[in-house]
Amino acid sequence: MQRIMLRRAIYAAVIAGLGGALAACGGGGGGSGTASTPAQSMAAMPITISDAPSDDWACVGVQVLSIALVPAGGGTPITVWSAPAQAPYVNLVQLDQLGELLGNVSVPPGTYSGAVLTIAANPGDVLLTVANNPESGFPVAGGTSIPADQIQIQGAQGGSGSRTVAVDVNFANDLTVTAGESNVALDVEFDLGHPAFIVAHTPPAAEGATVFAVNFNGPVRRRPVHDIAALLLRHTYGTVTAVSSAAITIDKDFPVYPASNPETEITSNIALTIGADSVNGTIVYDLDAGSRTVVNNFASASGLDSRFVRVAARYQTDGTLTAVRLWVSSDFSKVWLSPEGHVLNVDSTAATLTVTNEDGVPVRVAIDASTLFFFRTPANAVADATPIGEGTGFLGNLVRGFKVHVGSMNPLQVPMVASTIDIETAAFGGEISNANTMGFKYTSQFLAVNDNYALTLPYIASNADNGVYQSNGQTTQITGFKWWDFTFPTLVDFGNSAVSDFISATNGAVDLGGSLGNVVAWGVSGARWGDGIGGDGTSGWYLNDAVLVPTPLPLGTVTTALTGTSFAMQVLGGTLPVTVNLDTNTGSATLVYQVNRSDGMVTITPLNIAGDGLATLQAALTAGAIVKVWSVPQAPAPPASSGTLKAYVLAYYSGTMPNM
């Protein structure tokens, strides 16, 4: 089945699910953000926003207006962060497995069971730009900016010009904030890979244009941060306001979105104090002087004052920030101009890397003998500061889909020559095959065939630390490979049986017939640079985890009505009907959504089939009904000759039917 399926998983998000990281489709800041030490009756807490991305979008721009915490046991939500009067946009696509720091906010000590996000919901408050190379069959051409009147925000309330949507985020586990401590963080994740986040409805030509319904309720959740020192932060922009021997203080800046030429900044009143790495050294790139120095303190760096910086920083266990690398210039566009985004193409022969920039536009970057490659590892200060490779020969270790930030001593040069490549996430994905006790094979399927790869990758060592698992108030340290299903991120399989369970779960295939052929297991994985972590003494990428990603089938027609929990369907382009099984168990039930288009308006309504919603669905899924299914193939059980599809997400349509 030739479809782009790489929905990138957040490999650190074992408990809360897939995700990525915050803000910079332009940016905004909260008036309450500050790095100053709070009074003893308050606690300092970092707030970040993250996301799990989608291959279909170059920009999903939102305006977060405020974040409030909900006290456990009830009570009025407490607003801990507010945007400035001119709320900036946040491009969620740039936040793949990263956290943009909104600030270290002051929070009353206590226990919190959830959060409420207020998001701007007027026409034009959500920006959608299609990726340069979207999924096959995507209804709009690559690079298209969707007009505001074709974007419908679900759940919007309020009068014209002041419409908002309140998003309730229920925490799987309570968040406890203690006075005087600064090592607890709140990371709010937008899951762009969730099938119900952005739903396209394309009616027959006579019925009008494609409408994109944006649904925040469900795809937004908390990603627990169990170790603040392991929190991977996106590069932070700022204006230096003070310099001491130990640290610099900046007012956080956000790039304007859409990008201007030259790019300018929005300066917030979020103050951040960032220290020098006194042990490993902070690398300082002065883009005006064209110099590179390594410093253990800022005693001789008075020239930083009032200049713009871009900082690759990490948290210490005590909640303080340390600079790993620092770019500085008197011109904001210079520190901004190095592209940050997903790798679109790796050309080892030409020694070039193509990376998307802030607008999702491909930028070609040259690699030379002096280019240093870093793999961001904030939990390990030495590894975070040490390059894993150098020069053109290392380029072959990168593939399409990696998230990187390029550094250049001369960002105005064409083509730009990279002095550094910060690999922020190493993501692999595609069809899964040949799973065994040592590893498995990923075969990618991009529309641009030159970007495809087929790689067999090993698991991390069985004794390698790999995060924690939290359930019923108990925390368990995970070692070795782990995996989970996309829609059940809290059900993590780890330990002695994880590999054998994974092998069993990925050996299914279902034949749809026609040009589509077999549907096989798909997945996405986060990898770490091993240097022998797999036990064989060699450097390379080793898989931390795998997320079984439900394959999105084309639109289909029900051929056999839903009876009990099963129905049959035939998809567009397929010739064989296939059986689809639903799960109605509480906690693991198939996610079902009714998508209705009437009078040009699209609404998305969830249906609980673990309750009385099953009867509603049985009435709707009769022969001829149009459906879309996201599923994982299941191997046939004897004596059956063909497999079935286990549906994780099901959408059925009413009103104006989508174009088949």
Side-chain angles (χ1 to χ4, degrees):
M1 178 174 180
Q2 304 298 313
R3 296 178 65 83
I4 294 178
M5 272 303 306
L6 302 184
R7 298 175 180 273
R8 303 296 174 196
I10 300 230
Y11 55 78
V14 177
I15 308 303
L18 310 178
L22 158 79
C25 186
S32 59
T34 175
S36 60
T37 302
Q40 188 64 28
S41 61
M42 302 290 280
M45 184 179 72
I47 290 184
T48 62
I49 297 179
S50 62
D51 88 282
S54 166
D55 292 311
D56 292 333
W57 299 104
C59 178
V60 177
V62 302
Q63 293 176 305
V64 179
L65 303 180
S66 67
I67 300 173
L69 293 177
V70 179
T76 303
I78 301 169
T79 300
V80 295
W81 185 86
S82 298
Q86 182 183 354
Y89 283 99
V90 171
N91 182 5
L92 299 175
V93 176
Q94 284 287 21
L95 313 181
D96 181 2
Q97 306 183 27
L98 304 176
E100 169 98 10
L101 181 61
L102 288 183
N104 293 332
V105 302
S106 294
V107 177
T111 301
Y112 300 94
S113 60
V116 179
L117 274 65
T118 302
I119 298 175
N122 299 292
D125 284 347
V126 171
L127 306 179
L128 297 178
T129 302
V130 183
N132 183 258
N133 188 7
E135 178 182 30
S136 176
F138 195 77
V140 179
T144 301
S145 293
I146 306 301
D149 61 359
Q150 292 175 225
I151 301 172
Q152 296 178 357
I153 304 170
Q154 305 293 291
Q157 302 288 329
S160 177
S162 59
R163 292 177 66 77
T164 62
V165 57
V167 181
D168 294 323
V169 181
N170 296 316
F171 298 164
N173 296 283
D174 288 345
L175 175 68
T176 300
V177 179
T178 304
E181 294 187 1
S182 303
N183 57 0
V184 175
L186 173 63
D187 184 14
V188 179
E189 178 181 84
F190 292 75
D191 185 0
L192 297 192
H194 195 292
F197 192 176
I198 303 173
V199 176
H201 192 292
T202 302
E207 297 289 337
T210 298
V211 170
F212 292 87
V214 180
N215 171 43
F216 291 105
N217 281 293
V220 183
R221 54 200 172 195
R222 173 194 171 209
R223 180 167 68 107
V225 179
H226 299 291
D227 180 5
I228 194 173
L231 183 61
L232 181 59
L233 297 176
R234 184 174 182 247
H235 287 193
T236 295
Y237 300 91
T239 301
V240 178
T241 59
V243 181
S244 69
S245 176
I248 60 173
T249 301
I250 67 172
D251 281 345
K252 187 172 173 61
D253 294 333
F254 296 89
V256 170
Y257 189 85
S260 57
N261 186 18
E263 175 66 342
T264 56
E265 83 288 350
I266 300 172
T267 300
S268 75
N269 61 348
I270 300 175
L272 297 173
T273 297
I274 306 173
D277 189 332
S278 60
V279 177
N280 304 290
T282 296
I283 305 175
V284 179
Y285 299 91
D286 190 320
L287 302 182
D288 296 333
S291 63
R292 174 189 183 276
T293 57
V294 180
V295 302
N296 297 99
N297 59 67
F298 295 123
S300 60
S302 58
L304 294 175
D305 200 20
S306 300
R307 298 173 76 191
F308 297 107
V309 293
R310 171 164 57 91
V311 188
R314 67 173 183 270
Y315 269 109
Q316 306 287 70
T317 55
D318 63 359
T320 59
L321 285 165
T322 296
V324 181
R325 284 173 286 285
L326 181 74
W327 292 261
V328 57
S329 174
S330 297
D331 181 351
F332 179 79
S333 66
K334 282 188 178 181
V335 298
W336 174 83
L337 200 53
S338 293
E340 172 194 14
H342 293 93
V343 173
L344 291 181
N345 176 261
V346 180
D347 190 334
S348 297
T349 302
T352 60
L353 194 66
T354 302
V355 182
T356 57
N357 67 7
E358 196 78 20
D359 291 330
V361 176
V363 177
R364 185 167 166 266
V365 178
I367 308 299
D368 67 12
S370 63
T371 302
L372 297 177
F373 294 83
F374 295 87
F375 180 56
R376 293 303 314 276
T377 316
N380 185 327
V382 175
D384 206 25
T386 305
I388 61 173
E390 182 176 5
T392 57
F394 191 79
L395 193 57
N397 290 292
L398 278 66
V399 299
R400 176 170 175 165
F402 277 33
K403 178 69 165 54
V404 302
H405 204 144
V406 178
S408 175
M409 295 300 294
N410 184 3
L412 299 177
Q413 185 177 355
V414 180
M416 181 188 300
V417 178
S419 54
T420 60
I421 301 290
D422 266 8
I423 302 171
E424 294 169 322
T425 58
F428 296 89
E431 290 185 353
I432 295 173
S433 61
N434 301 334
N436 57 42
T437 57
M438 300 300 294
F440 60 91
K441 184 177 182 179
Y442 268 132
T443 303
S444 67
Q445 293 185 358
F446 294 105
L447 291 179
V449 295
N450 290 338
D451 298 333
N452 284 332
Y453 57 84
L455 296 172
T456 298
L457 298 164
Y459 309 117
I460 59 172
S462 59
N463 62 349
D465 288 341
N466 200 12
V468 298
Y469 178 74
Q470 192 173 43
S471 178
N472 298 323
Q474 300 296 316
T475 300
T476 304
Q477 181 66 45
I478 297 176
T479 58
F481 178 76
K482 64 191 178 190
W483 67 278
W484 64 94
D485 288 328
F486 172 80
T487 51
F488 308 127
T490 61
L491 304 179
V492 182
D493 194 331
F494 61 93
N496 294 333
S497 65
V499 170
S500 60
D501 291 345
F502 180 78
I503 294 171
S504 298
T506 57
N507 66 356
V510 176
D511 188 5
L512 300 178
S515 61
L516 301 179
N518 282 339
V519 177
V520 299
W522 284 75
V524 290
S525 291
R528 68 178 70 173
W529 186 252
D531 196 19
I533 194 68
D536 61 3
T538 61
S539 296
W541 297 113
Y542 293 83
L543 299 174
N544 291 313
D545 53 48
V547 185
L548 291 188
V549 180
T551 303
L553 304 179
L555 284 174
T557 302
V558 173
T559 57
T560 303
L562 175 62
T563 302
T565 59
S566 297
F567 69 94
M569 65 177 292
Q570 184 171 321
V571 300
L572 189 66
T575 58
L576 300 176
V578 60
T579 298
V580 179
N581 293 323
L582 308 179
D583 189 336
T584 58
N585 293 308
T586 300
S588 62
T590 301
L591 302 177
V592 178
Y593 298 90
Q594 178 191 29
V595 180
N596 180 76
R597 179 165 180 158
S598 299
D599 298 324
M601 296 296 297
V602 175
T603 57
I604 302 170
T605 305
L607 198 66
N608 178 18
I609 65 169
D612 56 10
L614 181 59
T616 302
L617 185 63
Q618 288 172 334
L621 260 56
T622 57
I626 296 178
V627 295
K628 186 172 178 64
V629 175
W630 290 258
S631 61
V632 169
Q634 305 292 291
S641 60
S642 61
T644 60
L645 296 175
K646 179 182 179 181
Y648 285 152
V649 180
L650 164 68
Y652 71 96
Y653 296 83
S654 60
T656 300
M657 290 293 108
N659 185 21
M660 291 286 289

